[in-house]
Amino acid sequence: MSDPALKPLPGVAPKAVSPWRDLWWRFCEDRVALFAFGVVVLLVMMALFAPLISPQNPYDLSGLSLRDARRPPGFVGSGGYTHILGTDAQGRDLLSAILYGLRVSLQIGITAGAVALVIGTSIGIAAAYARGFVEAILMRIVDLQLSFPPILLALVLVALLGQGQAQLVTALVAAQYAYFARTAFGAASAERSKDYVEAAAATPLSARRIVFRHILPNAMPALIVVATVQIAYAIALEATLSFLGLGLPVTEPSLGMLISNGVKYMMSGRTWISVYPGIMLIILIVAINMVGDHLRDILNPRLDK
Amino acid sequence: MSGFIIQRLLQAIVVMAVMSVIVFAGIYSIGNPLEILIPPEATQDVRERTIARFGLDRPVVEQYFYYIRNLLQGDLGRSYIYNEPVLQLISGRLPATIELVLVSVLGALFIGVPLGMLAGYRPDALSSRIIMAVSILGFSVPTFWVGLILILTFAVELGWLPSGGRGDTAELLGTAWSFLTLNGWSHLALPAINLALFKLAIMIRLARAGTREVMLGDTVKFARAAGLSEWTIMSRHVLKLISIPIVTVFGLELGSTLAFAVVTETIFSWPGVGKLIIDSIKNLDRPVMMAYLMLTAGLFVTINLIVDLVYALLDPRLRKGGAA
């Protein structure tokens, strides 16, 4: 009973509790984290249903009028409805632009996070399973890359690859996969050296079965924490690159692009064009990070009470 | 020990060589520098001479070896845009970046560690929750956004501080520094705060996590049993126990802050290296991009090498080599 992870939860019978249910219960203990989780779910819903709930299709150029450009919040435009958050420099309804921007940002963040998760985990687990020479080479590369700041890597790659969604996602994945590889390697090599895996490896069980049935499930919790944080980071990174003028093309702006578009009007007092997309971006990133933060705390056995 | 040093040195050299090939190949695959170098109305004769002068008619492999030969002699080429030796261009901008980075990182260290220890000392207190909320904000809110808000608040609305530039500088050791004048500090304040926030969040987290773990350990239990005051326990024992990871991260962060300065320098028009690299990426100024990337890679490889060697000095088990 010295391992605190084996200790039964207070008030919970120590019988068949699946680890995922257990995780969910412990997650719900913290109201703030639960609230943050609710916000994330809400934002994802808003992004999914953006075409249904936004007052205007911001990509439809024929629906835009320059007479409506840069109007403050509350302005009733030529479309006949109120622009709750005002309009941007192209005369787009800002609320619609933000909802669509949220869609683009989330899409890029989740795609980059998921691809990096798959690639990074594969590398980490392959290194931990193979050991020896393969491990030394793979992890040396990963460690080397971890020592470079991701923003610099992404900056250079975007400059080298050119603009576009696929190029941007590639740059983000290249900048982030190493975090997953490190985490997966750590968890997998701890598992790999346990007796039951050694025993399984001595039987005719296929390597694939050992990896997917025994090693991967044990690495999952740590990987989920990294994934939440990295998705938030990918969204922030994309916004930063867009802000520096190295991100996506202007036609389908992400949140970062919307902020960047509004900056030149900021100094003349038309602050809403940048500020509202910025607030949306921050709510999104902070909420995801709070969820990740709490997950990390409940998954850290050393902090178990 | 000497075997270990040689092994790691060789590794660093190999890494630098590989980096140079990758970066060179990458940079040579983008854009056409001729559009920048040669005015559109130039005659065929002028075109050919310019191409020959920059060696652009040679095969890429030959250009690479030519570049490396010059690099080893300390010649990083001339900027296409500024028509100045790149080394001179970068070293002229470097003090501004170093100044900004040092002020931010030291500020983050001296404010972040005490706050983080406080948050780790009483994890459930209201003050600790506020500190952690601030640190999550510092972590989450993108640097460029904080920069914009800082400019909007302190430069546009309140008019207290300037929104860009370096301000007055004074000479020290033959270089101009802003931190020696009051006006320079007023220019330095906003970009330094901007750059420091992320580091502050990291320091708070590290200090908090370390403190929480140390507080549960035997050291604190016995120190309390010995009747030491809480202040003595925190400042003498806990601080010492959590300092090793903090010092490591501090060293690594010093390097990555140089990279992060790119964003801050762009927003605040701080005339450092970061602004130079963004401009050169936009203008396809190959020699400057190449030199910046090689210098940054060199910096990181050096930092890693030092960290490895210091670890080896502290932990004899690593000296046997091999451990990746």
Side-chain angles (χ1 to χ4, degrees):
Chain A
M1 286 301 278
S2 63
D3 186 349
L6 296 176
K7 217 164 52 178
L9 281 163
V12 180
K15 52 174 186 181
V17 180
S18 93
W20 296 106
R21 295 274 296 277
D22 173 35
L23 195 67
W24 174 244
W25 282 337
R26 287 168 63 192
F27 187 84
C28 293
E29 277 173 18
D30 190 302
R31 290 282 164 81
V32 181
L34 200 59
F35 175 73
F37 183 70
V39 171
V40 174
V41 172
L42 181 73
L43 290 181
V44 171
M45 287 305 198
M46 277 164 70
L48 273 178
F49 298 113
L52 299 177
I53 53 174
S54 60
Q56 183 193 56
N57 178 1
Y59 299 157
D60 179 15
L61 294 177
S62 63
L64 305 180
S65 162
L66 275 182
R67 272 183 302 139
D68 295 339
R70 298 190 292 280
R71 300 294 188 166
F75 170 77
V76 182
S78 50
Y81 52 87
T82 314
H83 297 290
I84 303 169
L85 298 180
T87 60
D88 75 355
Q90 278 85 43
R92 274 189 292 237
D93 173 51
L94 200 56
L95 177 64
S96 312
I98 289 175
L99 288 172
Y100 275 80
L102 183 68
R103 215 171 140 89
V104 177
S105 289
L106 266 172
Q107 192 186 330
I108 289 176
I110 292 174
T111 315
V115 176
L117 173 77
V118 172
I119 295 179
T121 309
S122 311
I123 293 177
I125 290 188
Y129 193 81
R131 298 189 188 165
F133 184 67
V134 179
E135 176 192 316
I137 294 283
L138 285 179
M139 292 324 285
R140 200 67 203 158
I141 294 173
V142 166
D143 280 345
L144 192 79
Q145 216 199 305
L146 278 178
S147 65
F148 285 89
I151 182 151
L152 198 66
L153 213 62
L155 203 68
V156 171
L157 278 173
V158 166
L160 294 180
L161 298 171
Q163 294 196 327
Q165 270 209 24
Q167 287 92 328
L168 188 64
V169 169
T170 311
L172 293 177
V173 168
Q176 294 187 300
Y177 84 91
Y179 293 89
F180 292 100
R182 228 320 105 220
T183 312
F185 175 75
S189 58
E191 214 58 34
R192 176 73 175 87
S193 58
K194 284 186 185 161
D195 288 342
Y196 81 94
V197 178
E198 291 286 358
T203 65
L205 284 178
S206 70
R208 210 177 93 189
R209 190 180 158 86
I210 296 174
V211 166
F212 281 98
R213 291 280 302 181
H214 301 298
I215 295 181
L216 192 58
N218 282 300
M220 265 339 260
L223 285 170
I224 289 171
V225 173
V226 177
T228 44
V229 175
Q230 289 300 318
I231 286 175
Y233 193 66
I235 293 172
L237 209 53
E238 182 276 318
T240 305
L241 292 173
S242 294
F243 177 78
L244 292 174
L246 297 165
L248 292 170
V250 224
T251 44
E252 297 190 358
S254 66
L255 289 174
M257 206 70 197
L258 287 173
I259 297 170
S260 170
N261 288 341
V263 168
K264 36 181 189 296
Y265 308 104
M266 221 165 171
M267 300 307 154
S268 56
R270 296 189 185 92
T271 49
W272 65 89
I273 306 177
S274 278
V275 170
Y276 290 129
I279 291 173
M280 180 57 105
L281 179 70
I282 290 166
I283 294 175
L284 176 65
I285 299 174
V286 171
I288 299 178
N289 273 340
M290 282 172 77
V291 171
D293 218 48
H294 186 56
L295 275 177
R296 189 202 315 273
D297 267 0
I298 58 178
L299 288 170
N300 184 354
R302 276 193 278 183
L303 292 178
D304 238 347
K305 283 162 209 153
Chain B
M1 185 70 192
S2 60
F4 179 80
I5 294 177
I6 291 169
Q7 187 207 349
R8 282 291 138 103
L9 263 176
L10 280 176
Q11 219 167 43
I13 292 169
V14 169
V15 167
M16 282 305 289
V18 172
M19 276 298 290
S20 75
V21 174
I22 295 174
V23 172
F24 197 85
I27 285 182
Y28 271 73
S29 65
I30 50 161
N32 183 359
L34 296 179
E35 287 163 15
I36 305 157
L37 290 170
I38 304 168
E41 67 275 13
T43 61
Q44 193 58 32
D45 184 44
V46 172
R47 279 185 73 90
E48 273 164 18
R49 267 192 295 150
T50 316
I51 291 173
R53 188 155 61 91
F54 283 96
L56 295 170
D57 51 346
R58 300 272 155 206
V60 177
V61 179
E62 200 180 319
Q63 287 188 44
Y64 172 74
F65 282 108
Y66 186 70
Y67 184 88
I68 294 297
R69 203 187 66 201
N70 284 343
L71 183 77
L72 293 177
Q73 290 165 355
D75 177 9
L76 291 167
R78 291 180 86 85
S79 158
Y80 291 167
I81 307 288
Y82 300 92
N83 197 23
E84 238 183 279
V86 173
L87 199 60
Q88 192 182 320
L89 199 63
I90 290 184
S91 56
R93 303 268 194 123
L94 205 55
T97 300
I98 290 178
E99 175 176 56
L100 181 62
V101 166
L102 279 182
V103 169
S104 335
V105 177
L106 288 174
L109 181 73
F110 287 115
I111 299 171
V113 172
L115 284 180
M117 286 178 73
L118 189 67
Y121 179 64
R122 276 188 299 183
D124 294 319
L126 181 68
S127 59
S128 307
R129 294 213 139 210
I130 293 173
I131 293 172
M132 284 320 286
V134 170
S135 110
I136 290 185
L137 274 178
F139 236 120
S140 309
V141 182
T143 309
F144 77 91
W145 175 250
V146 179
L148 284 180
I149 296 301
L150 285 176
I151 290 183
L152 195 62
T153 317
F154 293 100
V156 179
E157 294 289 327
L158 298 171
W160 289 353
L161 293 165
S163 67
R166 267 190 97 180
D168 297 340
T169 52
E171 289 271 319
L172 178 73
L173 304 171
T175 333
W177 301 97
S178 291
F179 75 96
L180 296 171
T181 66
L182 202 61
N183 179 273
W185 267 108
S186 75
H187 283 81
L188 189 55
L190 289 184
I193 292 172
N194 185 209
L195 195 55
L197 277 180
F198 189 80
K199 310 293 144 191
L200 185 73
I202 293 183
M203 291 298 162
I204 289 180
R205 271 151 184 269
L206 270 177
R208 171 180 177 263
T211 308
R212 278 188 80 174
E213 279 181 20
V214 172
M215 291 302 287
L216 296 174
D218 292 337
T219 313
V220 172
K221 225 179 278 173
F222 283 109
R224 280 188 179 145
L228 295 181
S229 76
E230 291 293 291
W231 171 254
T232 315
I233 295 175
M234 292 304 283
S235 61
R236 287 255 188 86
H237 299 287
V238 177
L239 183 61
K240 202 182 276 176
L241 285 170
I242 65 171
S243 64
I244 293 167
I246 289 178
V247 169
T248 312
V249 173
F250 177 81
L252 294 174
E253 286 300 316
L254 209 57
S256 79
T257 314
L258 278 173
F260 257 99
V262 171
V263 180
T264 302
E265 285 179 9
T266 310
I267 300 168
F268 290 92
S269 327
W270 188 259
V273 188
K275 200 164 158 5
L276 183 71
I277 181 66
I278 291 285
D279 291 344
S280 68
I281 287 178
K282 285 184 178 162
N283 296 325
L284 283 183
D285 197 346
R286 280 182 186 172
V288 178
M289 286 167 76
M290 183 75 198
Y292 176 81
L293 291 176
M294 287 312 290
L295 288 176
T296 318
L299 178 76
F300 279 100
V301 169
T302 312
I303 291 178
N304 280 339
L305 187 68
I306 294 173
V307 169
D308 274 356
L309 293 182
V310 170
Y311 275 178
L313 216 58
L314 294 175
D315 187 347
R317 280 173 302 175
L318 291 177
R319 279 179 227 160
K320 301 257 161 64

